[in-house]
């Protein structure tokens, strides 16, 4: 249920982008990044179980930041991976909030807030 709520703004924005500009690359980028991120979480959990070198947390956060946070969210819940480490969760949720703010700005404020921040 939380995932559906969190995906509502990005999905509405994706539909808006497709409808207004005919662009599919942003929704596709979210899907591809989510699949890649999900795979990295799965692989990191597998590595943790067998005592292999782990995937750096910065890599997991990078893939969440470029749009893979839905895949990360699903993987965290499914594999019970990285759900207890507060510093990791703090950064993950900052990334999710940043995506929510970006799409809120795009849909509601017509990008004015981001443009004012960027100058």
């Amino acid at each position: 249920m939380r995932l559906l709520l969190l995906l509502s703004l990005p999905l509405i924005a994706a539909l808006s982008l497709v409808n207004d500009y005919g662009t599919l690359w942003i929704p596709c980028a979210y899907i591809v990044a989510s699949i890649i991120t999900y795979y990295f979480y799965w692989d990191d959990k597998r590595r943790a179980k067998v005592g292999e070198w782990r995937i750096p947390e910065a890599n997991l956060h990078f893939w969440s930041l470029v749009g893979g946070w839905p895949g990360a969210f699903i993987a965290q819940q499914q594999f019970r991976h990285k759900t207890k480490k507060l510093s990791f969760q703090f950064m993950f949720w900052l990334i999710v909030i940043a995506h929510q703010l970006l799409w809120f700005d795009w849909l509601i404020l017509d990008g004015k807030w981001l443009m004012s921040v960027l100058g």
Side-chain angles (χ1 to χ4, degrees):
M1 185 59 145
R2 283 188 295 165
L3 181 61
L4 290 176
L5 183 62
L6 290 170
L7 283 174
S8 59
L9 273 176
L11 287 174
I12 293 168
L15 292 173
S16 171
L17 286 167
V18 170
N19 187 46
D20 295 347
Y21 301 102
T23 183
L24 289 173
W25 75 268
I26 293 176
C28 290
Y30 264 82
I31 292 167
V32 170
S34 287
I35 291 168
I36 291 169
T37 307
Y38 180 90
Y39 168 77
F40 281 135
Y41 272 79
W42 170 82
D43 192 38
D44 190 49
K45 181 69 171 192
R46 180 194 63 78
R47 290 175 185 218
K49 286 181 178 179
V50 297
E52 292 180 0
W53 283 94
R54 303 285 300 280
I55 295 172
E57 289 183 356
N59 289 6
L60 299 175
H61 286 316
F62 169 79
W63 285 104
S64 293
L65 184 63
V66 298
W69 66 264
F73 182 87
I74 293 167
Q76 286 178 22
Q77 303 309 306
Q78 184 174 358
F79 305 130
R80 299 286 182 243
H81 191 50
K82 300 289 188 185
T83 57
K84 302 266 190 243
K85 189 171 183 182
L86 292 179
S87 61
F88 187 89
Q89 284 296 303
F90 179 76
M91 184 57 67
F92 172 75
W93 285 104
L94 280 180
I95 290 168
V96 173
I97 290 167
H99 278 264
Q100 298 300 315
L101 288 174
L102 173 85
W103 293 121
F104 179 83
D105 181 44
W106 172 265
L107 290 168
I108 308 300
L109 305 175
D110 294 323
K112 292 176 184 156
W113 176 76
L114 185 59
M115 294 308 282
S116 70
V117 169
L118 295 176

